[in-house]
Amino acid sequence: MPELPEVEVTRRSFADRITGARILSVRLGRPLRWPLGRAPESLHGLSVLKVRRRGKYLLLQLDEGVLLMHLGMSGSLVFRPELPVPGPHDHFDLVTSQGVLRLHDPRRFGAVVWSAGADVDPAHKLLSTLGTEPLDDGFDPAAFHAGLKLRRAPIKQVLLAGDLVVGVGNIYASEALFMAGIRPTVRACRLSRPRADRLHAAIREVLCRAVERGGSTLRDFSSATGESGHFQLEAAVYGRAGQPCLRCGAPIRQIRQGQRSTFFCAQCQRG
Ligand code: ZN
């Protein structure tokens, strides 16, 4: 599943090139998770002013409203001067004066939704429950610790829930907790301020590193120029069950938490 770094890498790969482009036509494929919410031909002639990201949503600011795009479980975007005839898994084409933005999404949990603004529905409904952006200055250690104090669930699940800090998905939660030396099963409210600070720093570091390296090489992910990322090749714990911990040599353990796999080192992450 594309996580925050992949979405950010995707954004950077086409944001500058599509800025200022005029929409020439819109092609819809099979239904995605939510309907577009506006007749596709009514978007013709509008311009793309900028491309922002909020959590795992990309927001194409138009001169009339905003297009929210979500990659779902298996989506990827490409932006090229020209693209071949759409295949069976290409469900959205935004043909512009500067190239074609195409959503390829075999499982169709992705979405493209038009909203009159980011602060009115349907955008508001989708964005208003998101936690703090982990890469922004607003992600503050004291506020993070205060938020953890209010939550009794295991720390890994609090990170995944996304209402405290957004976009720390399954891979990056396991990696950040390893980096901070925190057991994924410990209750969030039990973390001391120094340990919460270490986790705060680790979340930032692991996400920044992933963005810099172009996002993970996940099954279905490729950035909008078609380059794959390389982060997962360097994961310390994720996907390494039974292999020796890079720090202490103990075998990495795999457990299930809330239907998701968690990887950790029982030696390096004792509590
Ligand atoms: Zn270890």
Side-chain angles (χ1 to χ4, degrees), residues 178 245-250 252 265-269:
F178 174 75
C245 170
L246 301 177
R247 199 177 287 161
C248 75
I252 298 298
C265 173
Q267 292 295 320
C268 296
Q269 297 166 264

mmCIF file of all heavy atoms in Angstrom, residues 178 245-250 252 265-269, ligand 1:
data_model
loop_
_atom_site.group_PDB
_atom_site.id
_atom_site.type_symbol
_atom_site.label_atom_id
_atom_site.label_comp_id
_atom_site.label_asym_id
_atom_site.label_seq_id
_atom_site.Cartn_x
_atom_site.Cartn_y
_atom_site.Cartn_z
ATOM 1 N N PHE A 178 11.561 0.549 16.147
ATOM 2 C CA PHE A 178 12.876 -0.091 16.300
ATOM 3 C C PHE A 178 13.943 0.972 16.541
ATOM 4 O O PHE A 178 14.768 0.852 17.456
ATOM 5 C CB PHE A 178 13.218 -0.915 15.054
ATOM 6 C CG PHE A 178 14.621 -1.474 15.075
ATOM 7 C CD1 PHE A 178 14.947 -2.557 15.888
ATOM 8 C CD2 PHE A 178 15.626 -0.904 14.303
ATOM 9 C CE1 PHE A 178 16.241 -3.065 15.924
ATOM 10 C CE2 PHE A 178 16.923 -1.407 14.335
ATOM 11 C CZ PHE A 178 17.233 -2.483 15.142
ATOM 12 N N CYS A 245 18.918 -9.333 13.870
ATOM 13 C CA CYS A 245 18.821 -7.882 14.086
ATOM 14 C C CYS A 245 20.141 -7.242 13.668
ATOM 15 O O CYS A 245 21.213 -7.739 13.985
ATOM 16 C CB CYS A 245 18.552 -7.616 15.564
ATOM 17 S SG CYS A 245 18.691 -5.878 16.035
ATOM 18 N N LEU A 246 20.032 -6.140 12.959
ATOM 19 C CA LEU A 246 21.239 -5.470 12.462
ATOM 20 C C LEU A 246 22.048 -4.859 13.603
ATOM 21 O O LEU A 246 23.234 -4.585 13.457
ATOM 22 C CB LEU A 246 20.851 -4.366 11.464
ATOM 23 C CG LEU A 246 20.066 -4.827 10.235
ATOM 24 C CD1 LEU A 246 19.691 -3.636 9.363
ATOM 25 C CD2 LEU A 246 20.862 -5.854 9.426
ATOM 26 N N ARG A 247 21.389 -4.683 14.773
ATOM 27 C CA ARG A 247 22.075 -4.042 15.891
ATOM 28 C C ARG A 247 22.659 -5.076 16.854
ATOM 29 O O ARG A 247 23.771 -4.927 17.322
ATOM 30 C CB ARG A 247 21.086 -3.137 16.628
ATOM 31 C CG ARG A 247 21.729 -2.093 17.503
ATOM 32 C CD ARG A 247 20.675 -1.200 18.148
ATOM 33 N NE ARG A 247 20.066 -0.270 17.210
ATOM 34 C CZ ARG A 247 18.891 0.342 17.414
ATOM 35 N NH1 ARG A 247 18.198 0.081 18.500
ATOM 36 N NH2 ARG A 247 18.403 1.183 16.528
ATOM 37 N N CYS A 248 21.874 -6.145 17.170
ATOM 38 C CA CYS A 248 22.325 -7.075 18.218
ATOM 39 C C CYS A 248 22.415 -8.526 17.742
ATOM 40 O O CYS A 248 22.947 -9.369 18.467
ATOM 41 C CB CYS A 248 21.387 -6.993 19.418
ATOM 42 S SG CYS A 248 19.812 -7.820 19.133
ATOM 43 N N GLY A 249 21.887 -8.859 16.599
ATOM 44 C CA GLY A 249 21.997 -10.220 16.078
ATOM 45 C C GLY A 249 20.869 -11.161 16.472
ATOM 46 O O GLY A 249 20.751 -12.253 15.920
ATOM 47 N N ALA A 250 20.025 -10.752 17.422
ATOM 48 C CA ALA A 250 18.887 -11.600 17.806
ATOM 49 C C ALA A 250 17.916 -11.702 16.633
ATOM 50 O O ALA A 250 17.811 -10.779 15.823
ATOM 51 C CB ALA A 250 18.188 -11.009 19.028
ATOM 52 N N ILE A 252 14.777 -11.310 14.385
ATOM 53 C CA ILE A 252 13.641 -10.379 14.343
ATOM 54 C C ILE A 252 12.354 -11.168 14.479
ATOM 55 O O ILE A 252 12.184 -12.207 13.839
ATOM 56 C CB ILE A 252 13.648 -9.589 13.013
ATOM 57 C CG1 ILE A 252 14.912 -8.741 12.881
ATOM 58 C CG2 ILE A 252 12.391 -8.721 12.891
ATOM 59 C CD1 ILE A 252 15.081 -7.672 13.941
ATOM 60 N N CYS A 265 12.611 -6.296 17.352
ATOM 61 C CA CYS A 265 13.669 -7.056 18.004
ATOM 62 C C CYS A 265 13.391 -7.067 19.500
ATOM 63 O O CYS A 265 13.337 -6.001 20.128
ATOM 64 C CB CYS A 265 15.038 -6.433 17.727
ATOM 65 S SG CYS A 265 16.342 -7.234 18.698
ATOM 66 N N ALA A 266 13.213 -8.261 20.062
ATOM 67 C CA ALA A 266 12.853 -8.368 21.484
ATOM 68 C C ALA A 266 14.005 -7.914 22.373
ATOM 69 O O ALA A 266 13.779 -7.575 23.545
ATOM 70 C CB ALA A 266 12.443 -9.805 21.807
ATOM 71 N N GLN A 267 15.228 -7.928 21.870
ATOM 72 C CA GLN A 267 16.372 -7.475 22.662
ATOM 73 C C GLN A 267 16.495 -5.949 22.667
ATOM 74 O O GLN A 267 16.699 -5.335 23.698
ATOM 75 C CB GLN A 267 17.679 -8.069 22.110
ATOM 76 C CG GLN A 267 17.802 -9.560 22.280
ATOM 77 C CD GLN A 267 17.879 -9.951 23.749
ATOM 78 O OE1 GLN A 267 18.521 -9.287 24.543
ATOM 79 N NE2 GLN A 267 17.205 -11.035 24.093
ATOM 80 N N CYS A 268 16.385 -5.378 21.493
ATOM 81 C CA CYS A 268 16.583 -3.924 21.363
ATOM 82 C C CYS A 268 15.336 -3.129 21.742
ATOM 83 O O CYS A 268 15.418 -1.923 21.973
ATOM 84 C CB CYS A 268 16.980 -3.566 19.930
ATOM 85 S SG CYS A 268 18.567 -4.248 19.425
ATOM 86 N N GLN A 269 14.177 -3.791 21.735
ATOM 87 C CA GLN A 269 12.917 -3.090 22.051
ATOM 88 C C GLN A 269 12.281 -3.817 23.237
ATOM 89 O O GLN A 269 11.322 -4.555 23.081
ATOM 90 C CB GLN A 269 11.981 -3.112 20.829
ATOM 91 C CG GLN A 269 12.560 -2.364 19.616
ATOM 92 C CD GLN A 269 11.810 -2.660 18.333
ATOM 93 O OE1 GLN A 269 12.210 -3.518 17.562
ATOM 94 N NE2 GLN A 269 10.719 -1.941 18.090
HETATM 95 ZN ZN ZN B 1 18.310 -6.172 18.280
#
